[in-house]
Amino acid sequence: MSKLQKAIDRLRRPEGRPVGFVATPRERPKAMLLGTLVRDPSQLRPAIEAGADLVIAHAAEPDGFEAALAAYRDDKVPIGIWLPHVDEPLANALAAAGWDFVVSTLEGTRAGAIDPDKLGHVAAFLDTEQVPDAVLRALGPLEVDAVLVKRTAGDFTLRQEAELVRVTTLSGAPLLVVVGHEPSAAEIRALRDCGSAAVILPEGATAEQIASGQALLRAVGPRKRSRREGAEIALVPSLASLHLHEEEEEEEEF
């Protein structure tokens, strides 16, 4: 299991109250994790020291990041790389170098290239509205750790929120959403409620913006369980039932 997946699991299943009589101060739970994109190896250390929960290097090749990555090989912070193309030799090299996960499009990833026991995989969708429902449903067997999407600039509408709900509901995967440098509390609440596990600040995020983002995520907090949650049941007809229905209609015609 990748560090990214473990971090998401910890976020969604916070530790219970300690047993005993000594009160232990606990940090307020966060709405989501906070990550950031970096382009240059020199940006890796400042992002982690500023408090980022995860870092994604966005580069054409992994070359140049080896020294910066080696310093955090045993660290708990998940560090991944976003690449345009991934094949098996490259995936094996990434795992050996200490990368926790790789971000790539489905089209740019060779089938069977990524061993989920060695390297996490985040599927990137640059335009979710062009992704069919069948492809999203297929992500479960592909064992992706998360889905990365970019939020379009401008006001965040209910239509856009509904689209993200479609992605996470059909795929069953948590969302990593690339946002602006200074997201609002309303945007954080909306992204949290539609199944996002992390907001990702774009390249060039400063230490102040990372710290401010973390404070905002704690101020918003996790989603409260709705009284209606769990009451909805998705009724999806099976192929067998559809076939049986067709046979009944044919018998009625005779």
Side-chain angles (χ1 to χ4, degrees), residues 34-36 46-48 50-52 181 201 205-215:
L34 184 137
T36 184
I48 295 176
H181 285 106
L201 300 183
T206 65
E208 291 75 15
Q209 288 169 334
I210 293 174
S212 176
Q214 290 285 25

Side-chain angles (χ1 to χ4, degrees), residues 127-243:
D127 186 357
T128 58
E129 293 187 359
Q130 301 301 317
V131 183
D133 290 356
V135 172
L136 293 175
R137 291 192 183 98
L139 292 182
L142 295 181
E143 298 187 70
V144 299
D145 290 0
V147 170
L148 183 139
V149 299
K150 283 187 175 182
R151 195 182 87 64
T152 55
D155 293 335
F156 189 38
T157 66
L158 280 176
R159 174 65 183 84
Q160 294 169 335
E161 184 177 358
E163 175 60 23
L164 294 184
V165 170
R166 180 182 77 93
V167 173
T168 189
T169 300
L170 294 180
S171 68
L175 298 179
L176 311 183
V177 185
V178 181
V179 297
H181 285 106
E182 297 178 352
S184 67
E187 183 180 358
I188 292 297
R189 283 195 299 270
L191 291 174
R192 174 201 64 188
D193 293 347
C194 67
S196 301
V199 289
I200 310 297
L201 300 183
E203 299 153 15
T206 65
E208 291 75 15
Q209 288 169 334
I210 293 174
S212 176
Q214 290 285 25
L216 178 60
L217 290 171
R218 292 199 184 280
V220 171
R223 180 183 181 184
K224 294 181 180 179
R225 184 176 178 85
S226 170
R227 285 179 292 180
R228 295 182 57 190
E229 191 171 338
E232 300 85 355
I233 300 176
L235 299 178
V236 181
S238 65
L239 293 177
S241 64
L242 289 175
H243 181 64

